[in-house]
Amino acid sequence: MRIAVVEGDGIGHEVIPVAKRALEVLRPDFEFYSVDVGFGKWQRCGEAITSQDMEDLSSADAILFGAITTPPDPGYRSVIVQIRKTLDLYANLRPVFGKGFDIIIVRENTEGLYSGVEKIEEDSACTVRCITRRGSERIARCACRLVKKRRELTIGHKANVLKADAFFRDICIAEARKAGVPFRECYIDALCLDVLQHPERYDVILTENMFGDIISDVAAFLVGGLGVLPSGNIGDQHALFEPVHGSAPDIAGKNVANPIAALRSAGMLLSYSARDPVSAQRIEEAIGRVLAQGIRTRDLGGNATTTEFGDHVIRELESMNRA
Ligand code: ATP
């Protein structure tokens, strides 16, 4: 497999090399190539991503992605939003698991408030929350396929207030019925609280774009923060795997970032794109062994650096390879 590696900006430069090393240990047959995109590139070249970069990404079998800093400049278009749209990565899968719960958040990734239909005028600003039948049907079908291997679908929405959400909800319910999948629905604000109070009640949570982004950061509270949560951006032709966290400019360059989210994103790449759940499980096992020795980065209450934690995980993977 050919893997495009995008470190991006900020802590992407620190956590992605750890994830790439893990893939190299587990799958020496993979071929890697770097694609330089992001804010740093924009500062150097005036463009954050070129059409050649997009071609390089689109020719990969899978993409391992760090994070991009979005500067407060109206002329700058979010790189990850552009990539998700161009490669039609419509399903954003965000697993959150811990003691007694195992949730996967399925977030529609190409529509809603990220439609790009917006304008700022002198005294008003407007962003259109665009939700289509096609977009809702395909994300609902994706979530239903995941439920079939699991238990139940929860549709998170705000249909009591927003017409676009009533539309989204009705389509999701129709797809769940068609697929014969047990489902319930819940207002997204109540769901954000309940998922924290009773995470064990949830299995597959399906939402539109913005609500999915918010509820996954909320759910990060259950597992010790953003440093441990991976995600997959999946389309019919392409797939990109990235930590849920961003470039974290506040800690960038300090070698303190937690590489677990990036390692788990590499694990998702192995299971979803390489169809290699055994290697994916090894990454999880290696992380578990290192944590069990009390080795943790600062966000989890320890004092290991990014590289120290990464080195321990790699050593565990190498010892599994030898066993
Ligand atoms: P961006 O604009 O790129 O999204 P951000 O700082 O707004 O960056 P995040 O990068 O998601 O958003 O970071 C939010 C907070 O979580 C920051 O305080 C950051 O230090 C912390 N954080 C994020 N990722 C990690 C990580 N891997 N390890 C430790 N702390 C992290």
Side-chain angles (χ1 to χ4, degrees), residues 250-279:
D250 55 328
I251 56 167
K254 296 183 177 157
N255 199 19
V256 296
N258 190 338
I260 292 180
L263 282 161
R264 286 185 168 150
S265 301
M268 287 184 78
L269 184 154
L270 288 164
S271 16
Y272 284 87
S273 288
R275 310 243 174 261
D276 181 1
V278 173
S279 297

Side-chain angles (χ1 to χ4, degrees), residues 11 15 67-70 217 226-228 244-251 256-261 297 299:
I11 60 169
V15 297
I68 303 280
T69 303
T70 302
D217 275 26
L226 285 172
V228 301
V244 167
H245 64 72
S247 61
D250 55 328
I251 56 167
V256 296
N258 190 338
I260 292 180
T297 44
D299 55 313

